Amino acid sequence: MPEGVTDPNYKPLPGRLGNLTVIQQHSLDKLKRELKEEGKFVEERMDDATLLRFLRARKFDVAKAKEMLLNAEQWRKDFGVDELVRTFDFPEKVEVNKYYPQYYHKMDKDGRPVYIERLGLLDFKALYSVTTSERQLKRLVWEYEKFTTERLPACSRARGHPVETSCTILDLGGVSLTNFYRVKDYVMQAASIGQDRYPETMGKFYIINAPWAFSAVWSIVKPWLDEVTVSKINILGGSYKDMLLQQIPPENLPKEYGGTCECAGGCSLSDAGPWNPDAQVVDGKK
């Protein structure tokens, strides 16, 4: 069983620490040994849970998982991830939030951090008057790093067992095909980074308020995603509240989505969650 487990009811899913087959354990040991022998092992980033994410993403094929991991490491160098983590600042956050809200907010019933993105509010012209697509991408990577190093560990401590994935709500209410096509390159880059550089971190994914024209958008995005990712996506129309509340406690779900949470200054800017105990909420629950 993984270290730090205090939840007596925790049962690891297959392919996770505490629930590995003999073959899976052998694959983990082999991957770690080869990385060390080749001088490619990075101790602060390659714990067993992380190596298992890459192995699951490649169905425990050690050669393919190692290739994926080393490609991710090269990407980190090329993108300058370590420097980004140390120095990145996003002072335009409040302004960007007006035109393209993207934020983490509390946990679902399984302890996953909830991530909400309101693509339907996108105002392309206003957005790129206050930021750039390059800075948006850097912010995305910075958030992924914070997700893996701060948000997930905080959620794990709060729940008493490992939490390795997120619960995402993508709100397409009011989206236009014109605006989507203008940002499709960013959306595809974001999907590629999540899938290839931070694999197996998607737990639940709800696409809500999907308009009738969404099939055209989906036909563009879907080929960029692997089968496992696609299988985790629930596409909903306007009748989504009951399904969201099955997964997210009402006090953790923003009021506009059927919950009861009303954070001071707005949920999209509160960064409320166990990773931020100082966040203020109107209903008194964190």
Side-chain angles (χ1 to χ4, degrees):
M1 196 66 76
E3 293 182 8
V5 174
T6 58
D7 177 3
N9 299 314
Y10 174 62
K11 295 180 180 179
L13 292 171
R16 273 76 173 175
L17 289 172
N19 190 6
L20 297 175
T21 66
V22 173
I23 293 175
Q24 289 170 344
Q25 182 65 55
H26 174 74
S27 297
L28 174 61
D29 295 340
K30 186 172 188 287
L31 175 59
K32 187 188 296 186
R33 182 174 64 252
E34 290 184 4
L35 289 169
K36 288 183 176 181
E37 289 174 351
E38 296 171 14
K40 302 292 180 60
F41 186 77
V42 183
E43 189 167 354
E44 62 268 25
R45 277 200 303 276
M46 298 183 184
D47 59 11
D48 286 354
T50 299
L51 295 181
L52 283 169
R53 287 199 291 106
F54 283 86
L55 282 165
R56 290 196 303 272
R58 291 297 178 262
K59 298 180 171 58
F60 282 87
D61 183 312
V62 174
K64 290 182 179 178
K66 184 169 72 171
E67 180 183 22
M68 185 186 195
L69 178 60
L70 294 181
N71 285 342
E73 284 296 302
Q74 184 61 51
W75 167 81
R76 291 182 67 91
K77 293 178 182 177
D78 295 342
F79 200 89
V81 174
D82 292 342
E83 179 70 14
L84 185 75
V85 170
R86 289 193 298 269
T87 64
F88 184 69
D89 188 27
F90 200 66
E92 65 265 42
K93 179 179 179 179
V94 174
E95 288 299 305
V96 167
N97 183 67
K98 296 176 183 177
Y99 312 121
Y100 189 6
Q102 306 164 72
Y103 60 98
Y104 285 92
H105 186 266
K106 301 188 177 182
M107 300 185 295
D108 72 2
K109 292 181 179 179
D110 297 316
R112 300 183 186 93
V114 176
Y115 176 74
I116 300 172
E117 187 166 321
R118 302 190 68 179
L119 189 60
L121 289 185
L122 175 64
D123 183 327
F124 180 83
K125 185 176 181 180
L127 176 67
Y128 288 128
S129 71
V130 297
T131 192
T132 65
S133 58
E134 180 183 6
R135 285 187 57 73
Q136 281 281 88
L137 208 60
K138 287 183 177 181
R139 180 197 183 189
L140 175 85
V141 172
W142 183 84
E143 285 286 5
Y144 261 121
E145 288 294 305
K146 187 173 182 178
F147 169 75
T148 57
T149 61
E150 295 182 28
R151 300 189 201 281
L152 288 180
C155 291
S156 299
R157 290 190 295 271
R159 294 307 297 259
H161 62 73
V163 176
E164 299 183 85
T165 60
S166 63
C167 175
T168 294
I169 300 171
L170 177 60
D171 184 1
L172 299 183
V175 74
S176 71
L177 284 179
T178 300
N179 271 350
F180 174 78
Y181 282 117
R182 284 175 171 173
V183 296
K184 69 180 177 64
D185 290 342
Y186 165 77
V187 171
M188 289 178 177
Q189 283 180 296
S192 178
I193 287 173
Q195 177 176 277
D196 298 335
R197 313 310 181 193
Y198 302 92
E200 292 290 304
T201 55
M202 179 194 295
K204 298 283 185 179
F205 197 113
Y206 300 96
I207 297 177
I208 65 172
N209 290 319
W212 65 269
F214 179 68
S215 58
V217 175
W218 184 237
S219 68
I220 295 173
V221 176
K222 188 176 179 180
W224 286 68
L225 306 176
D226 61 37
E227 293 179 4
V228 175
T229 299
V230 171
S231 70
K232 297 176 182 177
I233 297 175
N234 295 283
I235 300 176
L236 310 173
S239 301
Y240 59 81
K241 291 182 180 179
D242 288 346
M243 183 166 285
L244 291 186
L245 287 169
Q246 288 177 19
Q247 186 62 36
I248 304 170
E251 65 271 18
N252 288 1
L253 186 64
K255 192 172 182 179
E256 62 262 38
Y257 294 119
T260 61
C261 188
E262 295 181 276
C263 295
C267 292
S268 62
L269 292 173
S270 70
D271 197 27
W275 54 84
N276 184 17
D278 296 327
Q280 299 295 312
V281 295
V282 171
D283 62 7
K285 298 178 180 178
K286 297 184 178 181

